[in-house]
């Protein structure tokens, strides 16, 4: 199934992921409850980031770790490709027909179980969630809660079919029946496979974290323990590993510490007979570490390898909340998974898994303990894909063609863009220049007119360059056409300079963020670019306003381009509180943790059904706090949030400019 069909199907089946979204809320509630127990949470995240910057891709540390592991009696196999990893593991399992396994993302990435099955080795997942997913034949939805998208009744049905008898949907009954089956396999198997949460270079230790106790048992089988992991799991010391696992535990489950933390420093030994060392007493006599490179060490951008697999990004990703595991692939869940694939030389796979589904909202980075900038990484990959002509999204090609032909992404003839200004008597030159932008000019011409009136009431006469105004390049930059975007921005700055502008005011945060994206141009031309909400803050006085009185609750939606990208959160709220006499409430996801409207990153043009589904999630968030009006500061958000509402009980959506205008004009 192609990506578009997959998106449409996921949107149609969105309710099948209600269980996943419910599980995500449960994790967040538990995190909230336990937050005070980790008072140094932010400092721990900072430490993690610094540690990852120093260790991921560090060849010396890799050599140190391998040598320390070998000194401790591990056998270490460094394998370059996925194929080499599969054949090495198959070789290690020669003569065995059964292997038990605990959670490991890299084995999912390798499709290890399917590969071994073909060579006659049965792989039994021992983690309950993984076993459910294995029996259901579906993809995991969360790194530590693989089956969180399935309801207990779906699991009961699955187990009833598997065991050939009726199993009740009581969680205790489900747990117990599967525990008994897994215990049988554990008692028969001689070899276990696990992943590793960390490998410490100084001590040569492997750290494995889990709650069920199954990984300990897989690691203790008599013949062999195979640890399948990747080089980015190498950390300097045991203390660094503990910081990482504590963060991973809290962020993935909400608990402050996991039930089990295994620190393994080699095979099982005894020296109780004549003081000579004999391998394999209660644990395995052979412990093999398979380090799978698969493009990681040679990757130029190593940032996605900073991941510790906590899954926080999935909880906050608007795309993942609609698409679930269909955004990404096995072992590569969500945006970070897509980014990792692309950065390790598998650009085609990353395109197939959703490189262009990301709305570029940046919500994942805000909650990521390693502060991985997925939005930026995805944009760079899009640029590579676009430059190498690997992108085949017809709607995106149309946007690029529209920019070439009409100088706007909306396929509207150039002459129409400045129509809104007719009769306003705007002069073409001046220190304060109004940059209306394509979207405001063409979608909301009356908002552009209101902006001019607002500025005039405040005693400013804005200049406007009319039909000469060019596109800022924001949309095409998000589609990966970096050089076109830069050319567009540069042409805009030249026009601003020719118009004698010192300050450029925009109504669209996409425009201000696109123009501010080039500090060299800002410096060269000495021009300040401000969004209207920022520009108005501090310029409105009580005397000039008659606040609009509303009985209903009002909420503010932070546009991603204004909030997370430009850090403008308080200014629009301050302006809103001046122009509105109404109860203003915040949505659960606001400011840095705001949720996207679904219109960004080319998703609205390329995948409209996804954009609409994300927008309706945002509307639901506003409804859940009782808001009847959403005020925002972006034409894309206004349009997206208005269009996605199908039900009759609509929430009104207004641009901040409209509310400011009303308050000023009432006074006038
Ligand atoms: S930037 Fe937004 S849409 Fe893209 S992966 Fe991150 S959270 Fe998801
Ligand atoms: S990308 Fe960040 S938030 Fe997402 S799983 Fe990895 S560490 Fe956690």
């Amino acid at each position: 199934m192609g990506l578009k069909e997959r998106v449409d199907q996921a949107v149609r089946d969105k309710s099948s992921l209600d269980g996943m979204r419910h599980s995500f809320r449960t994790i967040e509630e538990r995190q909230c409850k336990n937050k005070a127990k980790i008072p140094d949470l932010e400092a721990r995240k900072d430490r993690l980031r610094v540690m990852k910057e120093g260790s991921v891709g560090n060849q010396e540390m890799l050599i140190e770790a391998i040598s320390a592991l070998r000194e401790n009696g591990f056998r270490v196999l460094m394998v370059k490709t996925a194929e080499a990893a599969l054949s090495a593991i198959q070789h290690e399992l020669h003569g065995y027909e059964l292997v038990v396994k605990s959670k490991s993302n890299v084995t999912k990435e390798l499709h290890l179980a399917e590969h071994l099955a073909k060579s006659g080795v049965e792989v039994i997942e021992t983690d309950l969630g993984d076993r459910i997913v294995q029996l259901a034949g579906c993809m995991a939805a969360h790194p530590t809660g693989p089956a969180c998208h399935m309801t207990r009744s779906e699991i009961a049905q699955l187990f009833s079919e598997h065991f050939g008898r009726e199993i009740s949907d009581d969680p205790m009954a489900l747990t117990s029946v599967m525990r008994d089956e897994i215990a049988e396999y554990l008692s028969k198997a001689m070899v276990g496979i696990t992943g590793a949460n960390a490998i410490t270079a100084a001590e040569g230790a492997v750290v494995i974290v889990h709650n069920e106790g199954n990984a300990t048992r897989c690691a203790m089988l008599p013949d062999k323990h195979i640890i399948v992991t990747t080089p980015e799991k190498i950390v300097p010391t045991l203390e660094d590993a503990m910081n990482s696992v504590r963060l991973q535990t809290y962020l993935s489950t909400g608990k402050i510490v996991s039930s089990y933390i295994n620190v393994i420093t080699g095979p099982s030994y005894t020296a109780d007979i004549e003081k000579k060392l004999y391998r394999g007493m209660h644990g395995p006599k052979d412990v093999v570490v398979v380090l799978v490179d698969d493009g990681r060490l040679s990757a130029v951008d190593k940032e996605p390898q900073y991941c510790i697999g906590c899954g926080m990004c999935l909880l906050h990703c608007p795309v993942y909340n609609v698409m679930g595991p269909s955004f990404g692939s096995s072992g590569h869940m969500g945006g970070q998974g897509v980014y990792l694939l692309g950065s390790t030389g598998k650009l085609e796979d990353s395109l197939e898994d959703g490189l262009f589904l990301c709305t570029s909202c940046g919500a994942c980075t805000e909650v990521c303990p390693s502060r991985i900038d997925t939005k930026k990484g995805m944009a760079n990959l899009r640029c590579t894909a676009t430059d190498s002509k690997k992108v085949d999204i017809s709607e995106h090609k149309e946007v690029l063609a529209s920019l070439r032909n009409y100088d706007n992404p909306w396929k509207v003839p150039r002459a129409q863009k400045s129509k809104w200004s007719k009769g306003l008597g705007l002069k073409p030159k001046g220190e304060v220049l109004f940059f209306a932008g394509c979207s405001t000019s063409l979608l909301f011409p009356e908002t552009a007119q209101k902006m001019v009136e607002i500025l005039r009431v405040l005693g400013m006469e804005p200049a406007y360059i009319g039909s000469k105004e060019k596109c800022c390049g924001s949309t095409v930059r998000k589609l990966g056409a970096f050089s076109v975007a830069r050319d567009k921005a540069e042409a805009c700055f030249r026009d601003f300079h020719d118009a004698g502008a010192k300050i450029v005011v925009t109504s669209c945060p996409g425009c201000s963020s696109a123009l501010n994206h080039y500090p060299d141009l800002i410096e060269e031309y000495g021009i300040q670019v401000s969004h209207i909400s920022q520009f108005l803050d501090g310029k409105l006085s009580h005397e000039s306003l008659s606040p609009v009185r509303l009985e209903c609750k009002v909420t503010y939606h932070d546009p991603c381009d204004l909030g997370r990208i430009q850090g403008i959160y308080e200014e629009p709220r301050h302006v809103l509180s001046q122009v509105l006499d109404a109860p203003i409430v915040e949505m659960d996801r606001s400011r840095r943790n705001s949720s996207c409207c679904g219109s960004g990153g080319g998703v609205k043009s390329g995948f409209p059904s996804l954009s609409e589904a994300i927008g309706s999630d945002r509307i639901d968030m506003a409804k859940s706090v009782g808001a009847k009006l959403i005020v925002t500061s972006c034409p894309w958000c206004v349009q997206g949030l208005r269009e996605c509402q199908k039900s009759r009980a609509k929430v009104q959506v207004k641009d901040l400019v409209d509310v400011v205008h009303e308050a000023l004009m009432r006074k006038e």
Side-chain angles (χ1 to χ4, degrees), residues 38 54 65 98 153 181 243 331 465 495 502 563 633:
I38 310 192
L98 171 70
S153 64
E181 189 196 57
N243 183 46
I465 55 177
D495 290 342
K502 292 272 174 280
S633 304

Side-chain angles (χ1 to χ4, degrees), residues 102 194 208 210 212-221 260-262:
S102 73
T194 69
I208 305 173
H210 54 118
E212 292 184 12
N214 59 316
T216 306
R217 297 187 67 185
C218 288
M220 295 293 283
L221 297 175
Y260 300 92
I261 302 176
N262 294 100

Side-chain angles (χ1 to χ4, degrees), residues 306-313 336 364 367-370 372:
Y306 296 180
C307 177
I308 58 165
C310 68
M312 270 304 274
C313 50
Q336 182 274 341
C364 47
V367 293
C368 174
S370 300
I372 296 172

Side-chain angles (χ1 to χ4, degrees), residues 313 316-319 327 334-336 357-365 374-375 378:
C313 50
H316 285 250
C317 176
V319 180
F327 180 33
Q336 182 274 341
L357 297 184
C358 168
T359 66
S360 315
C361 73
C364 47
T365 306
T374 298
K375 164 178 63 59
M378 299 281 242

